[in-house]
Amino acid sequence: MICAGLLGGCGILIGSVKPITGKSDAYSFTAPSKKDSEWKALPSDTQNADGEALEPAVDVSDRSWQHHRSGAIVSINSACRPSYGYASEPLRKYTDLLLLGFMDLKDREEQTLALQGLDALQTTVQGKVEGRTVKIRTVVTRRIECLYDLMYVAKPAIFGEQLDDFTKFVQSLKFDDAG
């Protein structure tokens, strides 16, 4: 499965843009397709064994899921820097940071999007991680002092199979009025 090879680098794969001072709680989304329960939530470091909340780790995604049959991974991550924000740099810079753990990147395609009225950059690229070839789609946007990245990672041969689930996931992203 793809996750076995990828989970060793999940901090890179699932989106960690450092340094940050916190995570955002000012957004919501609909988890990947529930139609066939093929998407399983991956464990996060946000709760201990008793279900008590822990301080979120900065190098772990906010939420991530793996497709049971294909091993594809979908994730969302937020990074907030109240004293700095993310407004001054182009979104491509943050996408490049997400892709640092991948080698031999090729076939890069970029497209600008609007997510709930915010500028976003969607990037699709093929590369290698831990010697395995994968295809990646990232969507990066920013709001106030937070940066948000959504990722879809799959083997190139099956990349299109769950791409609609990822697209619906991205389109479901909503920002709270207060945040």
Side-chain angles (χ1 to χ4, degrees):
M1 288 199 136
I2 198 168
C3 192
L6 298 178
L7 282 180
C10 267
I12 293 170
L13 261 186
I14 301 183
S16 63
V17 178
K18 296 179 185 177
I20 65 170
T21 58
K23 300 277 188 177
S24 173
D25 60 1
Y27 71 96
S28 61
F29 55 85
T30 302
S33 176
K34 303 244 182 200
K35 68 180 182 244
D36 57 10
S37 68
E38 289 281 330
W39 288 101
K40 305 291 184 194
L42 294 175
S44 68
D45 293 336
T46 60
Q47 293 182 337
N48 66 18
D50 297 323
E52 298 167 333
L54 298 172
E55 189 67 31
V58 295
D59 60 348
V60 175
S61 66
D62 294 1
R63 296 288 309 272
S64 56
W65 299 264
Q66 183 177 23
H67 193 266
H68 180 68
R69 284 183 294 109
S70 70
I73 294 175
V74 167
S75 68
I76 185 167
N77 190 55
S78 63
C80 302
R81 293 179 70 185
S83 62
Y84 171 75
Y86 289 98
S88 62
E89 301 290 341
L91 291 173
R92 189 170 209 260
K93 175 182 176 179
Y94 300 116
T95 299
D96 290 345
L97 289 172
L98 289 173
L99 298 174
L100 280 176
F102 297 96
M103 306 300 292
D104 302 325
L105 296 177
K106 63 181 184 176
D107 302 327
R108 185 176 186 137
E109 297 175 14
E110 293 181 337
Q111 176 182 356
T112 57
L113 306 173
L115 287 180
Q116 205 175 336
L118 300 173
D119 290 337
L121 179 64
Q122 175 180 285
T123 303
T124 306
V125 66
Q126 186 168 302
K128 289 187 178 184
V129 64
E130 296 182 4
R132 296 175 191 219
T133 301
V134 294
K135 195 163 183 177
I136 307 114
R137 175 162 290 172
T138 66
V139 176
V140 177
T141 191
R142 61 182 148 224
R143 181 167 185 264
I144 309 175
E145 298 168 333
C146 297
L147 183 71
Y148 300 87
D149 62 77
L150 299 93
M151 292 185 79
Y152 170 58
V153 182
K155 295 175 186 173
I158 57 96
F159 183 79
E161 290 181 19
Q162 282 80 43
L163 193 54
D164 284 346
D165 288 343
F166 179 68
T167 300
K168 290 175 188 171
F169 174 63
V170 170
Q171 292 170 343
S172 78
L173 182 64
K174 301 289 184 250
F175 296 102
D176 299 344
D177 291 336

